[in-house]
Amino acid sequence: MSAANLYLERPALTPAAEDLREEVRTFIAEQRDSGALPPPERIGLGFDVDMTQRIADRGWIGLTWPRQYGGQERSALERYVMNEELLAASVPVGAHWVADRQSGPVLLKFGTEEQKRFYLPQIASGNCYFCIGMSEPESGSDLASLKTRADRVAGGWRINGRKIWTTNAHRVHYMIALARTSPAEGARHAGISQLIIDLKAPGVTVTPIISMAGEHDFNEVLLEDVLVPDEALIGTEGNGWNQVSAELAYERSGPERWLSSFRLISELVDVLGADTQPSTQEELGRLISHLLALRQLSLAVAGMIEQGKSPNIEASIVKDLGTKFEQEAVRVARNIASAEDLVGNGRAPRLRALLMHAQQYAPAFTIRGGTNEILRGIIARGIGLR
Amino acid sequence: MNENQTFFRATIERILADTVGKAELDHAEERQLPEAFFSVLVENGITSMLLPEDTGGIGASLGDAAIILRAAGAAAAPGPLLETMLAQKLLASSGLGPAQGLLSLVFINEAPGLVGSRWSDAVLHDVPWSQAVEKILIVSRSGNEARLLVSDPAGWTTEPGMDAAGEPRDLLTAEAIDVTSANCGDYDSWLCAASMLRAAQILGSAEWSLRRSIEYASERKQFGREIGKFQAVQQMLAELAGHILAAATIVEAAADDCHPTMIAAARSRLGDAADAAIAISHQVHGALGFSQEYALNSRTRRLMAWRDDFGSVLYWRRVLARQFTGLSREAFWPAIADAGATVPR
Ligand SMILES: Cc1cc2nc3c(=O)[nH]c(=O)nc-3n(C[C@H](O)[C@H](O)[C@H](O)COP(=O)(O)OP(=O)(O)OC[C@H]3O[C@@H](n4cnc5c(N)ncnc54)[C@H](O)[C@@H]3O)c2cc1C
């Protein structure tokens, strides 16, 4: 992409994708009927291993992966459609989300045959979850400055360091850690590698960090002389930076970047009813138009992935716009709720709870997965300014 | 874009490069049409492209016309191009026969004083290029229906006016004027069509503003380097790029099948993108962009002129919201995902 052709082709949704959408909607209706999906009072991806199991039973984890590794060989567009349906219905997909979105695909792309055979079928069957071990106390946006080291020992690696903000480290099986495997000589992006760490291994200490929304989602992970075998290395030693860039593109391109608080808007629409003030319609109409535009953008990005392209810049744009949209949605929902007299009077308790949680959560939207300032730097490079 | 559309784009870009430049833009602010531009458009059948083949057109779709207008918007081409294209289609659809020259077009919510073909105490506001056209078409609402009124410019008393871009938008009055009239179907559908075509023009101008600003940021030096090397400038332009890409995808979706929900969404989203384009492209250009001489204002003033045309941004937001209010929390998402695919409520 350059300034001259800032352009995204919008793909046509295939009949297979539309069929899958219907299947997912039927699944959601069944889950609602059985009481497994009560209307939520918090935003975010719930962590629910039973739900993950039910999703895996339908073959919906690793949907695009080769059959020999437990996948279904379906298209990226189908996966997009499935995910938007699940997210919009607030299905708790948090347990398998990272493994399905990025750990599995990284293994598929860079892993050894043995790694693929070992991990992918377990992920696809809903029995194996991952977390992301990138950030460190001294290395956030400037990830390449990381200090965690993996030193060569007979038959493997010895890892020392400290990872932080590691979402779900207390309830998943593995972490893909980014660590320095050789000194940074010259290029600071060189000498970094990706290694799989079993979180039950000796020397791993996971300590909770409670978020300002009062939840225990992320952690500090202390790595003290953690020994991992040779087979823990993903891809090539020293190629970690390239691999992690690919991983971040998976992490940034999905519809969760503008659907994580969708339930707040749908709850608002539900309690508002049809009779609203013009100013409410104007604010709501604006939000919906941004949502529809983001959806078209996301579809186009999924179409690019389907064509084997790597839409780094486009994904950065979707995440920048999507996360800003989500913060804006919280502000607008709050204003509409007060304009329409829905708060402070017990009229809409679920909306009140969602609003409270969404407000507390919203600052994280534009930080997690790479801050918007960093994303805009990537976009600026894409349009030829850097 | 299909093959036809690629062809249309190449054709219009060539015509624009040959016939619309600074002189034509300046003349338009003196109420002079870019004659050469329009004569080539007429010759190439572009002004009448929306007519069916059996009435002298090429049966082009509104989506094809949007390709033409996006390019025209990027070039800030002055004159009643959108108006003529859509007015031709209106004439054909209502059986009032074709017109040879350029046409002006306005939408009104009521026509008090109209009895049969005689219209007393008639008033029309903001009529584009009323002195330069062969006929003035008025789409008047009666209930859900549209009534098409066709009038002669000569029958009106004209008070010249202009829009923010300096193009003529006149106040027309008449104690009594004769009009030809016919029913022409659903009012909202015609308004949607006009609105979608205007969206394409707005998008074109906004895209140009972004492109020019990126180029300028790579040319202009301060503190010994290109201003585009400063992170503050990069962040502004990255933000604008996001607005433009989002607006472009939703405008294309609206142009593809002219679904009213997507058109309303496009105009709403585009409103924010146009505001960002005006603010950011001028900020990046510094004082230079504020001068009349420099080309940026020919685009940004058109964004100002067009932003609220054929239904304001707020109007389209209300229209859009009404498609979704009253839905249950479970029904809301399916309505979003299926928007554009189903018949609106
Ligand atoms: C809810 C949540 C979950 C997370 N989960 C994980 C996880 O599972 N695994 C993981 O590894 N990490 C996780 N993170 C961490 C996240 O990736 C980092 O917070 C993020 O990369 C930013 O790093 P930082 O917090 O150190 O901020 P800093 O990098 O210190 O940035 C602070 C501020 O400075 C700005 N800034 C920094 N550098 C620049 C620059 N060059 N130009 C302009 N501005 C700059 C930033 O944009 C930001 O506004 C999570 C974060 C959150 C909030």
Side-chain angles (χ1 to χ4, degrees):
Chain A
M1 192 170 77
S2 78
N5 55 359
L6 196 70
Y7 180 71
L8 271 177
E9 191 81 38
R10 288 173 316 105
L13 281 179
T14 57
E18 293 301 357
D19 288 349
L20 181 59
R21 186 190 300 286
E22 284 317 308
E23 277 175 54
V24 178
R25 285 185 184 175
T26 306
F27 170 78
I28 289 165
E30 286 165 10
Q31 298 303 306
R32 282 193 181 123
D33 291 346
S34 73
L37 265 187
E41 305 209 336
R42 305 175 86 78
I43 63 159
L45 304 178
F47 193 104
D48 178 342
V49 292
D50 295 329
M51 184 59 81
T52 282
Q53 203 54 64
R54 289 195 283 274
I55 290 171
D57 290 346
R58 281 168 177 76
W60 293 344
I61 303 179
L63 191 72
T64 61
W65 305 348
R67 281 185 196 283
Q68 64 190 114
Y69 305 125
Q72 306 285 326
E73 303 187 0
R74 308 280 290 258
S75 73
L77 273 174
E78 288 164 71
R79 177 168 180 274
Y80 169 82
V81 164
M82 171 189 77
N83 276 343
E84 70 172 6
E85 291 293 328
L86 292 173
L87 292 166
S90 309
V91 178
V93 290
H96 64 275
W97 193 253
V98 164
D100 175 79
R101 176 182 71 189
Q102 61 197 85
S103 319
V106 159
L107 288 168
L108 199 58
K109 191 159 180 193
F110 303 105
T112 61
E113 186 56 35
E114 220 172 59
Q115 285 170 334
K116 291 185 216 176
R117 279 210 214 124
F118 180 76
Y119 294 105
L120 297 180
Q122 290 190 67
I123 296 174
S125 63
N127 293 307
C128 172
Y129 318 137
F130 275 71
C131 64
I132 305 162
M134 296 188 195
S135 304
E136 298 182 6
E138 300 303 322
S139 304
S141 300
D142 185 12
L143 190 54
S145 70
L146 57 83
K147 300 207 172 55
T148 297
R149 289 176 46 176
D151 298 313
R152 259 249 164 263
V153 291
W157 303 85
R158 185 175 52 232
I159 306 176
N160 279 287
R162 198 185 285 269
K163 295 290 174 184
I164 196 169
W165 318 124
T166 324
T167 303
N168 292 335
H170 59 304
R171 51 191 169 192
V172 304
H173 307 95
Y174 301 100
M175 169 164 87
I176 296 184
L178 198 62
R180 188 155 281 294
T181 43
S182 55
E185 282 161 3
R188 54 202 295 272
H189 294 160
I192 296 173
S193 305
Q194 285 186 303
L195 297 130
I196 304 172
I197 297 178
D198 183 337
L199 290 165
K200 291 184 301 297
V204 177
T205 312
V206 177
T207 317
I209 304 176
I210 307 301
S211 74
M212 66 180 265
E215 289 158 313
H216 176 202
D217 281 337
F218 53 28
N219 305 274
E220 185 170 54
V221 181
L222 186 61
L223 306 167
E224 291 170 302
D225 287 333
V226 179
L227 290 172
V228 298
D230 281 332
E231 302 86 73
L233 180 76
I234 304 176
T236 319
E237 197 251 293
N239 190 39
W241 191 259
N242 287 333
Q243 296 174 198
V244 98
S245 302
E247 185 179 340
L248 283 170
Y250 304 131
E251 180 171 351
R252 288 170 179 164
S253 62
E256 69 270 31
R257 296 312 177 184
W258 47 275
L259 280 174
S260 76
S261 58
F262 180 76
R263 64 198 72 168
L264 174 62
I265 311 175
S266 46
E267 184 66 24
L268 179 68
V269 167
D270 186 287
V271 298
L272 271 177
D275 185 24
T276 60
Q277 301 175 33
S279 64
T280 295
Q281 290 172 12
E282 287 155 10
E283 291 266 42
L284 196 61
R286 172 163 180 270
L287 273 193
I288 292 171
S289 72
H290 279 250
L291 187 68
L292 288 170
L294 277 163
R295 183 166 179 269
Q296 293 296 326
L297 273 182
S298 267
L299 268 168
V301 168
M304 287 182 75
I305 294 172
E306 177 62 23
Q307 290 169 15
K309 299 179 185 155
S310 46
N312 278 346
I313 296 144
E314 292 81 357
S316 298
I317 287 182
V318 174
K319 186 169 182 295
D320 179 36
L321 292 172
T323 52
K324 287 278 177 212
F325 161 79
E326 289 213 302
Q327 287 177 340
E328 180 82 357
V330 177
R331 187 186 64 77
V332 169
R334 194 190 162 118
N335 284 344
I336 290 178
S338 61
E340 299 284 345
D341 204 16
L342 295 169
V343 283
N345 50 21
R347 280 179 63 197
R350 191 178 293 118
L351 179 66
R352 181 181 184 277
L354 272 170
L355 251 180
M356 177 118 62
H357 187 238
Q359 281 182 80
Q360 293 170 346
Y361 204 94
F365 294 148
T366 49
I367 296 170
R368 62 177 182 191
T371 71
N372 289 46
E373 291 70 35
I374 296 302
L375 296 171
R376 287 181 183 185
I378 295 171
I379 299 164
R381 184 174 296 122
I383 57 179
L385 291 175
R386 292 175 64 195
Chain B
M1 253 194 298
N2 62 35
E3 231 172 80
N4 276 344
Q5 294 181 334
T6 312
F7 172 75
F8 285 134
R9 191 162 101 171
T11 308
I12 186 71
E13 282 180 347
R14 183 171 39 73
I15 296 173
L16 285 162
D18 291 347
T19 57
V20 179
K22 171 116 177 69
E24 285 72 22
L25 298 193
D26 288 345
H27 292 153
E29 301 205 30
E30 310 292 329
R31 303 177 71 82
Q32 283 173 45
L33 267 182
E35 300 283 355
F37 174 54
F38 277 100
S39 66
V40 181
L41 289 182
V42 172
E43 254 167 54
N44 282 269
I46 289 178
T47 46
S48 55
M49 70 190 279
L50 292 175
L51 294 180
E53 279 171 77
D54 54 16
T55 49
I58 52 174
S61 69
L62 287 166
D64 298 338
I67 301 281
I68 300 288
L69 287 162
R70 187 166 168 180
L81 175 54
L82 180 161
E83 290 79 357
T84 301
M85 285 168 130
L86 196 61
Q88 294 271 18
K89 193 174 162 75
L90 274 159
L91 285 174
S93 314
S94 55
L96 288 183
Q100 298 311 314
L102 301 185
L103 302 166
S104 186
L105 175 65
V106 285
F107 284 75
I108 58 176
N109 258 323
E110 48 184 2
L114 178 70
V115 181
S117 63
R118 186 102 183 130
W119 192 1
S120 324
D121 298 323
V123 183
L124 291 176
H125 293 275
D126 291 330
V127 183
W129 293 93
S130 73
Q131 305 281 281
V133 295
E134 181 187 322
K135 299 274 183 211
I136 293 163
L137 274 69
I138 302 118
V139 182
S140 165
R141 184 194 278 285
S142 72
N144 290 331
E145 299 295 298
R147 185 111 187 124
L148 180 65
L149 316 177
V150 182
S151 70
D152 247 359
W156 296 93
T157 305
T158 307
E159 191 178 308
M162 60 172 100
D163 64 17
E167 290 196 44
R169 293 265 181 129
D170 305 330
L171 171 64
L172 305 190
T173 52
E175 267 172 39
I177 187 168
D178 287 319
V179 295
T180 348
S181 69
N183 290 334
C184 60
D186 180 61
Y187 181 92
D188 287 323
S189 308
W190 288 108
L191 185 64
C192 272
S195 179
M196 186 281 285
L197 294 176
R198 193 61 103 210
Q201 250 172 325
I202 297 172
L203 177 63
S205 262
E207 287 175 317
W208 187 94
S209 305
L210 170 67
R211 277 201 303 273
R212 184 66 211 122
S213 301
I214 294 169
E215 286 162 12
Y216 184 71
S218 315
E219 296 158 10
R220 169 76 172 168
K221 285 192 177 148
Q222 285 293 283
F223 300 96
R225 46 181 168 152
E226 295 83 21
I227 55 169
K229 298 286 175 224
F230 293 108
Q231 201 183 41
V233 174
Q234 293 174 356
Q235 298 269 314
M236 281 196 283
L237 288 173
E239 180 186 348
L240 181 55
H243 272 291
I244 300 296
L245 197 64
T249 40
I250 189 92
V251 170
E252 284 175 16
D256 272 359
D257 40 33
C258 282
H259 195 285
T261 305
M262 296 310 256
I263 291 172
R267 285 299 302 271
S268 163
R269 183 64 188 84
L270 199 49
D272 287 339
D275 291 348
I278 294 168
I280 293 176
S281 62
H282 277 292
Q283 191 65 20
V284 167
H285 273 86
L288 181 65
F290 195 61
S291 69
Q292 193 170 47
E293 181 64 18
Y294 188 79
L296 180 61
N297 76 79
S298 60
R299 273 68 174 188
T300 54
R301 286 196 293 137
R302 279 178 175 75
L303 294 178
M304 297 167 200
W306 292 337
R307 183 188 184 275
D308 291 310
D309 247 1
F310 300 126
S312 68
V313 170
L314 290 187
Y315 168 83
W316 288 112
R317 285 180 183 164
R318 292 192 295 271
V319 168
L320 183 62
R322 278 199 294 274
Q323 305 298 321
F324 296 91
T325 43
L327 294 175
S328 70
R329 66 178 70 75
E330 290 80 16
F332 181 58
W333 168 257
I336 292 284
D338 302 339
T342 50
V343 181
R345 293 186 296 156

